[in-house]
Amino acid sequence: MTVLSVRNLSVEFGIRRGLFRKGRVVRAVQDVSFDLIPGTTLGLVGESGCGKSTTGLAAMRLIDAHAGKVLFGDRDILKLQGADLRQMRSKIQIVFQDPFSSLNPRLTAAGIIAEPLEILGVGTPGTRRARVDELLMQVGLSPEHGGLFPHQFSGGQRQRLGIARALAPDPEILICDEAVSALDVAIQAQVLNLLARLQANRGFAMLFISHDLSVVRHVSDEVIVMYLGRIVERANAKTLFDAPLHPYTMALMSAIPSRDLDRPSTRIRLQGDVASPINVPSGCAFHNRCPFAQARCSKERPELEQIRDGHYAACHFAGRIERPL
Amino acid sequence: MPVETPLQIAPPPERPWRTTWRVFAANRPALGALIVLIGIILAGLFGPYIVAPNPFEMVNVPLLPPSEEALLGTDFLGRDVFTALVHGARTTLLIGIAATLLTMVIGIGIGAFAGYFGGFVDDTLMRVTEFFLVLPNLVFAMILTTLFSPSIWMVVFAIGVVNWCPLARLTRAEFVRIKGQEFVLAARAAGASDMRINLRTILPNAMPPLIVSITLLIGVCILFEAALSFLGLTDPDVMTWGLMIGASRDYFWDAAWTVSYPGLAILITVLCIALIGDGLNDAFNPKLRKR
Amino acid sequence: MAAAESPMLEVHGLTVTFDLQEGDRITVLNEVSLTVGFGETLGVIGESGCGKSTLALAIMRLVKPPTGRIQSGTIRLGDEDLVMLNEAQMRQRRGVDLGMIFQEPLTSLNPVYTVGEQIAEVLRRHKGLTRAEASARALDMLRQLKLPDPEDKLHAFPHELSGGMRQRVMIAMALICSPKLLIADEPTTALDVTVQAQIFDLLKEIRPASSAMILITHDFGAVAEMADRVVVMYAGHCIERGTVREVVTSPAHPYTQGLLACVPDITNAGTYARGTLPEVAGTVPSLTNLPEGCPFSPRCDRAIEKCTTMPPDVPLGAGRSVKCWLAEVNR
């Protein structure tokens, strides 16, 4: 039932020095694999520099991947050319984070939503206009709003426009790259509910990228945690958050300030700052901040392995750590 | 299922162009300059049909001061200054605009390519730009018109070819800035080709500062033409203001009117263009205006 | 009021307006009153446009006339009314009695001076220390903040540090003169969650016991962690206040209730089925177009007739009140 299969995706950036292309190499994403299933949501979570946004952009070929495969049906997206590539574009769409820079300020709302249809050559101006009106209503706006410009809308409304635009070509996969992070919480709830409704109606698969664990937990069926370009843990949402296996996931969860005043504060305190992908530590990339690190961790990089049923972690001691509650 | 309350949208503020116009019109010097310039353009368009058809015709006594017979006097060949001025308006403006168009095509084209593609293309194009920037442009223009026949098209070409550098750099800067905005990525995600993105997504957003530059460029091209004409390096069969000054330069002390009026015409035109350009700049960026 | 001693900071009836370019005047803070006791942390919570940042700037007297204006009200710090002071006097208070930390440390630190110089400058200006003395104190402070390699960091430029480190530098600058009141305006919003936790821990450890703090945020979790009391703001009004426990466990104002319900908390995030997250319908009103009476009434599902006039501040107990007719009616 998988609609998209990502296998061993790797993305590298060269830091240019002068006239030559590559100085140092930043390995933003390394060996990432996951599947997207229609009607379900995969949450991709991690802090800045972990490569989650890069993964999403590479999976839909908005950035060039260095290695790996992205299989849509039986075709590798990364190898498509010309008309096939454009065909694919109508199947995978994205909603961006910033409601202010993700809409072309010179186009009307209707123009923005119709743009993918125009580019892909779908329908006639008449049918496109009808579809735009339909989409506007589906995202909670009205056809009159079509003639207005982006700066006349609020942040939450602009995000709705972004969603309408992404859904215009009726994609099978929707990637949300921090799509609600820039919104106030009350608006965030509205947009999350909207996305859930739309997914229930249209059945697309969703890749939800975010740094906000609470939102990811609410939205996702399955969750992946990334650290410095690699997947460190994967499980279904409930299991991951109820009983995380990787120390990083535990630290992330304990770092979130909770509204539960009676919860004892047993925080796992991480030393140091979020590591940068330019200087990836040897062995396990997390070992220099991990409160449970042993000698082995700086020498040998742990592979992502299944520890329990459907629950994977990349840690030498996964499943054997006494976790503070 | 919560009902969507009708979304509160503020009453639509005026459309962008109207705000721009309103701010521009509030700038008195700019508005005045626009009116004067329109007058000059009208004179250039219709004037040659009203006054005598040939400005090169020797109609009167040479070096006649401004009087009833000759409104602005005559030059050393007996040509009527006023007639020449009116014909000159048309040609000077046309040359200015034509040269500007050529500059635009080269400058915006190179800047857009460099800005959008980056990397090796960018480096190469920018080195080419810097090379042209370093060339003394008047000298280069002179060389071009001297080497090839000084027809009016050669003059337009020479002016266009030396003045595109600042526009290229500005365009490149704008393209680089806009390229990083997410709506460009969104267009790519919808399958837009590079060409489409450049022309239909990025360029319209880059226009405001470019429009200002282009407006000022017209003034620069007019001055350039005047300089070339003054040095006698232009088409002698086309009457322009620069040609008038150049032809009569020995008579400045005795018959100032032969030189002053065309000079004044150039001054006023270029000044008006500069004021309009300034006004447009403020109108496009109301946040930068000091209250 | 149980405590006999007067509060560290007392804001009463503060009203601040801004003049817009088109000639409109908007009221960004409307009769805002709050108190912060010695050693206490007050959380100010609200969404964008509610006026919480303006509140911080107003207390620091950084609201600049002629566009921004304090129309009325008092801001008593200790026994002085800050509204009555002139600019020269305020300059002496800022940095010394009042410290402020901003949201985005990259833009609030000067990029062309090293971090050490910036911290030292605060000391030299306010305490008249020599260069050497100030440098030594700055180094000391960096050690206290647990910055790795503090000697090197002293000579580093802001852009060479990570976001978390920059924020620590900001905290250093704000706290180095031991101010009576520290205002933190969304200090961790731009930071990753693990760094955010470090900053919160730091703020708890490093503050002198008697100083007070105002924490401005949109996150109830942060308020629950850090604050003793909290004030909820909406469209320039303080619509609810109380201890953190009171407001978080039994919110009285419909807006507060909606806000608490609509954010998935990590401990209960799984409890809502997808698509059924409680929403607060509608959007925050524009300050140029406020509704009649209670600013929240158009979005409130329990609005009554009376809501077309502004409700008073209804006391619900010691230090607890809410601006809502429903509370008044149910009293």
Side-chain angles (χ1 to χ4, degrees), chain A residues 47-48 184-186 189-190 193 196 214 217-219 221 252 255 257-259 261-262 267 269-270 272-274 289, chain C residues 47-48 162 165 192-194 198 201 220-221 224-225 245 259-260 263-264 266 269-270 274-277 279-280 282:
Chain A
E47 295 181 300
S48 48
D184 280 322
V185 294
Q190 293 177 3
N193 283 346
S214 320
R217 176 173 180 159
H218 171 77
V219 154
D221 296 294
L252 272 185
S258 163
R259 297 201 306 248
L261 295 163
D262 300 315
R267 165 162 294 150
R269 284 155 185 220
L270 289 184
D273 282 306
V274 179
R289 299 173 75 199
Chain C
E47 296 181 293
S48 4
S162 71
M165 288 194 246
D192 284 311
V193 73
T194 50
Q198 292 172 338
D201 288 340
F220 267 108
E225 266 244 355
R245 183 169 286 272
L259 215 50
L260 281 164
V263 181
I266 191 68
R274 219 100 34 89
T276 63
L277 205 52
E279 281 180 23
V280 182

Side-chain angles (χ1 to χ4, degrees), chain C residues 74-314:
Chain C
T74 61
I75 304 174
R76 301 199 79 82
L77 183 68
D79 46 8
E80 270 191 324
D81 184 1
L82 297 180
V83 178
M84 293 289 125
L85 301 180
N86 64 33
E87 181 61 19
Q89 293 166 314
M90 268 315 294
R91 266 203 289 267
Q92 289 175 337
R93 306 281 178 288
R94 287 186 207 121
V96 179
D97 293 324
L98 293 164
M100 184 152 174
I101 309 171
F102 299 89
Q103 175 176 344
E104 180 46 75
L106 187 56
T107 49
S108 40
L109 286 174
N110 193 328
V112 301
Y113 288 99
T114 64
V115 148
E117 279 169 11
Q118 295 191 50
I119 301 177
E121 184 191 354
V122 179
L123 282 171
R124 283 176 26 227
R125 248 203 116 256
H126 289 295
K127 302 276 187 192
L129 296 183
T130 65
R131 263 219 149 86
E133 287 170 346
S135 245
R137 283 286 306 277
L139 186 58
D140 216 20
M141 193 52 140
L142 290 179
R143 285 209 187 91
Q144 269 194 303
L145 294 171
K146 306 212 186 74
L147 272 166
D149 305 315
E151 294 82 9
D152 291 333
K153 295 288 181 296
L154 210 56
H155 303 290
F157 288 93
H159 67 269
E160 292 172 336
L161 304 178
S162 71
M165 288 194 246
R166 286 195 288 264
Q167 201 58 302
R168 278 181 246 215
V169 168
M170 273 250 82
I171 294 174
M173 284 169 67
L175 289 179
I176 201 155
C177 296
S178 308
K180 298 181 196 159
L181 176 69
L182 177 67
I183 303 178
D185 186 0
E186 306 250 27
T188 56
T189 304
L191 303 175
D192 284 311
V193 73
T194 50
V195 180
Q196 177 174 315
Q198 292 172 338
I199 299 289
F200 280 151
D201 288 340
L202 189 67
L203 281 174
K204 280 193 243 180
E205 283 170 21
I206 205 170
R207 247 174 66 223
S210 62
S211 74
M213 180 161 85
I214 295 182
L215 177 67
I216 296 173
T217 178
H218 62 276
D219 181 3
F220 267 108
V223 161
E225 266 244 355
M226 298 288 295
D228 304 300
R229 294 197 0 260
V230 65
V231 149
V232 181
M233 291 194 63
Y234 188 81
H237 293 265
C238 274
I239 54 157
E240 182 162 0
R241 74 185 81 234
T243 66
V244 167
R245 183 169 286 272
E246 284 167 344
V247 175
V248 170
T249 51
S250 43
H253 196 286
Y255 175 63
T256 318
Q257 292 165 356
L259 215 50
L260 281 164
C262 77
V263 181
D265 185 46
I266 191 68
T267 47
N268 72 359
T271 56
Y272 291 110
R274 219 100 34 89
T276 63
L277 205 52
E279 281 180 23
V280 182
T283 52
V284 177
S286 144
L287 287 176
T288 50
N289 211 359
L290 285 173
E292 289 282 322
C294 173
F296 185 64
S297 51
R299 302 170 75 186
C300 184
D301 53 3
R302 281 174 280 155
I304 54 181
E305 267 282 327
K306 265 189 147 178
C307 298
T308 50
T309 57
M310 188 69 208
D313 214 2
V314 178

Side-chain angles (χ1 to χ4, degrees), chain B residues 161-175:
Chain B
V161 147
V162 301
N163 278 318
W164 56 267
C165 308
L167 192 59
R169 283 174 137 189
L170 182 61
T171 307
R172 175 189 175 276
E174 279 296 293
F175 267 66

